[in-house]
Amino acid sequence: MTPDLSSTRLRGDTAQGGADRVRQWFARYKILALLLAVALIWLFFTVLTHGAFATPRNLSNLLRQMAISGTLACGMVFVIIAGEIDLSVGSLLGLLGGIAAILDANRHWPIEATIPAVLALGVLAGVFNGWLSTYRRVPSFIVGLGGMLAYRGVLLGITGGATIAPVSDRFVFLGQGYLPRLVGDALALLLFGVLAFVTARQRGNRRRYDLPVPPLWQDGVKIVGAGAIIFAFVATLDSYGGLPVPVLLVLLLLGVFTWVATQTVFGRRIYSVGSNLEATRLSGVDTNRVKLAIFALMGLMCAFAGIVNTARLAAGSPSAGTMGELDAIAACFIGGTSMRGGSGTVYGALIGALVMASLDNGMSMLDVDAYWQMIAKGAILVLAVWIDVVSRTNRR
C-alpha cells in the first residue's frame, strides 16, 4: 500500500509549526518562563524539606545570599552584552572585601571613609582591566584569568591567609541589618506605583507613534500580578525581620542598571558594541571608551559585593568570592544574556542569580554533597547556553 506522502508532510509541517510556536512563546515570555522555573525549584525543595525551605527565615537568608551574586551579575551582564568576559570578579570581590575588613577592623577607619575608599579602588581595578583589554588589545579572557590569580594572591598577601575580624557593628549592619517594616511597606507601594506609571507611559508612547497597543486588560493583569508578587514578597520578609539591607541594595541596582540599559545613550551603545563592534566604531562611537566604562562599572559592582559580603560574614575571609565569577556568568546566561553579545537584560540576570542561589540553598538544606552541587550548577549553565545557541540558530 502506497503511503500518503502529502499527509505525512502535513503532519511534519504541523509538528514543526508547533515547535516554532513554543520557541516563539519562550522567546517572547522568557522572563515569565524563568519565574516559573524559580517557582518549580522552590516547590521542589519545599516538598523535600517538609516546608523548611519556604519559611520566611530561610527565604530571607536565601535573598541575602543572592544579593552577592546578583550585584556581580548587574555588572557582568553589561560586560557580556558588550561581547567581553571578566573572570577576575570573584577574586576582586574577595580582595576589596578584605581591604574593607582591614580598614575597619585593623585601621579603625570610620565607615564613611572605608566605603568610598573601597569603591574607588574597585573602579580603579575595573579601569585597569578595561585599559588592558581595550587599549592594549589583551583579550579580556586573559586579562580576567590573570586578574583571578593576581587579585587572589594580593588578598592572601595582605591578610596573611588569616580571617580579619571582627568588623564594627555599623559595618555589619550593611550585610545583616533590616529596614523597619514601615519603610519596607512604603518601598513596596512606591515600586508598585512606578510599575503602573511605566506601563501607562509605554501605552501612551505606543499610541503616539501609531504602534500596536496591547489590550487594557492585558496590562492590567500584568500590573495586578506584579503587585501581588511585590506585596507577598514584602509581607513574607516582614513576618521574619523586614527587608534585608543587601536586598534593598540589589533592588536599587536593578532600577539604576535597567534605566541605564533602556533609557540612556550609553546603554544603547553597550548593545550596539556587542552586536556589531566595527559598525559602531565607524558610526563615530568611541568603542574603547564604552568598554572602559563597562569594566569600571564591573569593578564598582565588585566593590559593592565585597563590602556586603564582608558585612554579612562580619569578617574578611581570604577565601571570599571563590567561584563568584562563575555564579555571576551563569546568572547572566540563565537570565537570557547571549554569549555572543548584543542582547540581555539586567532583570533577567538577577532572576538567573536567584535560580543559582535557590539551588545552592536548597541542596545545602538537603545536605547534598558538594560535588553534586557543582555538577548540577555546571549542567544548568551548559543547558542555558545551549538554549541560547538553539534559539538563535532557529531564528536564522
Side-chain angles (χ1 to χ4, degrees):
M1 184 175 180
T2 305
D4 189 345
L5 296 179
S6 61
S7 62
T8 302
R9 186 179 299 110
L10 179 61
R11 286 195 296 270
D13 292 342
T14 302
Q16 181 64 34
D20 289 341
R21 283 193 294 271
V22 171
R23 283 191 291 267
Q24 290 172 2
W25 184 92
F26 182 80
R28 183 175 181 181
Y29 300 103
K30 186 177 293 185
I31 298 303
L32 182 60
L34 284 172
L35 291 175
L36 179 60
V38 171
L40 292 176
I41 291 172
W42 285 18
L43 178 61
F44 175 76
F45 285 125
T46 299
V47 172
L48 292 185
T49 59
H50 305 289
F53 180 87
T55 59
R57 177 178 181 178
N58 185 64
L59 292 180
S60 178
N61 183 52
L62 165 64
L63 293 172
R64 197 189 302 272
Q65 293 172 351
M66 186 273 290
I68 307 299
S69 57
T71 301
L72 291 179
C74 284
M76 185 64 72
V77 69
F78 278 3
V79 174
I80 297 176
I81 289 172
E84 303 292 344
I85 199 72
D86 191 348
L87 298 178
S88 68
V89 297
S91 296
L92 184 56
L93 178 159
L95 173 59
L96 295 171
I99 291 174
I102 291 173
L103 295 178
D104 185 88
N106 294 353
R107 303 296 181 181
H108 305 292
W109 281 28
I111 192 173
E112 292 82 4
T114 298
I115 292 178
V118 173
L119 294 180
L121 288 174
V123 172
L124 288 176
V127 168
F128 179 68
N129 289 348
W131 176 76
L132 287 176
S133 177
T134 56
Y135 291 96
R136 298 296 93 188
R137 305 305 178 193
V138 180
S140 59
F141 178 85
I142 300 301
V143 173
L145 188 61
M148 178 196 298
L149 300 173
Y151 294 141
R152 184 66 60 181
V154 174
L155 173 61
L156 292 173
I158 64 175
T159 61
T163 299
I164 307 299
V167 297
S168 64
D169 292 339
R170 293 180 64 201
F171 198 96
V172 169
F173 178 79
L174 297 176
Q176 299 184 11
Y178 297 90
L179 294 178
R181 294 185 179 182
L182 289 177
V183 176
D185 294 341
L187 288 174
L189 289 172
L190 176 62
L191 184 59
F192 179 75
V194 169
L195 176 63
F197 171 77
V198 170
T199 303
R201 183 179 179 184
Q202 288 176 345
R203 291 182 63 86
N205 289 337
R206 284 182 169 274
R207 288 196 189 94
R208 185 178 304 115
Y209 297 108
D210 294 326
L211 296 174
V213 180
L216 183 61
W217 67 266
Q218 183 174 325
D219 282 338
V221 169
K222 182 174 68 173
I223 294 174
V224 171
I229 294 174
I230 292 171
F231 288 111
F233 169 76
V234 173
T236 300
L237 295 179
D238 282 347
S239 64
Y240 176 65
L243 183 66
V245 173
V247 177
L248 174 63
L249 173 63
V250 171
L251 292 176
L252 291 175
L253 291 175
L254 169 63
V256 171
F257 275 71
T258 299
W259 176 78
V260 170
T262 60
Q263 303 296 323
T264 66
V265 174
F266 175 66
R268 293 297 92 198
R269 287 177 175 176
I270 294 174
Y271 286 91
S272 179
V273 166
S275 298
N276 194 321
L277 177 64
E278 188 63 18
T280 304
R281 185 183 65 81
L282 292 175
S283 67
V285 175
D286 189 338
T287 57
N288 287 339
R289 185 176 298 179
V290 172
K291 289 191 175 185
L292 190 66
I294 292 170
F295 278 100
L297 280 175
M298 185 71 258
L300 182 64
M301 292 304 100
C302 289
F304 273 121
I307 290 170
V308 172
N309 188 62
T310 296
R312 186 172 70 88
L313 300 175
S317 171
S319 62
T322 302
M323 304 294 285
E325 59 282 340
L326 297 185
D327 283 341
I329 293 170
C332 293
F333 289 151
I334 292 171
T337 304
S338 174
M339 62 175 293
R340 294 178 175 84
S343 67
T345 59
V346 180
Y347 49 83
L350 286 183
I351 296 176
L354 182 59
V355 169
M356 298 296 289
S358 299
L359 291 172
D360 279 337
N361 184 277
M363 289 190 289
S364 296
M365 292 187 70
L366 294 174
D367 200 22
V368 176
D369 291 327
Y371 64 87
W372 278 116
Q373 297 186 33
M374 297 175 69
I375 290 172
K377 291 166 66 176
I380 290 174
L381 173 59
V382 174
L383 177 63
V385 175
W386 176 76
I387 291 174
D388 172 63
V389 172
V390 170
S391 63
R392 284 180 172 264
T393 300
N394 289 328
R395 285 198 294 266
R396 292 178 178 176

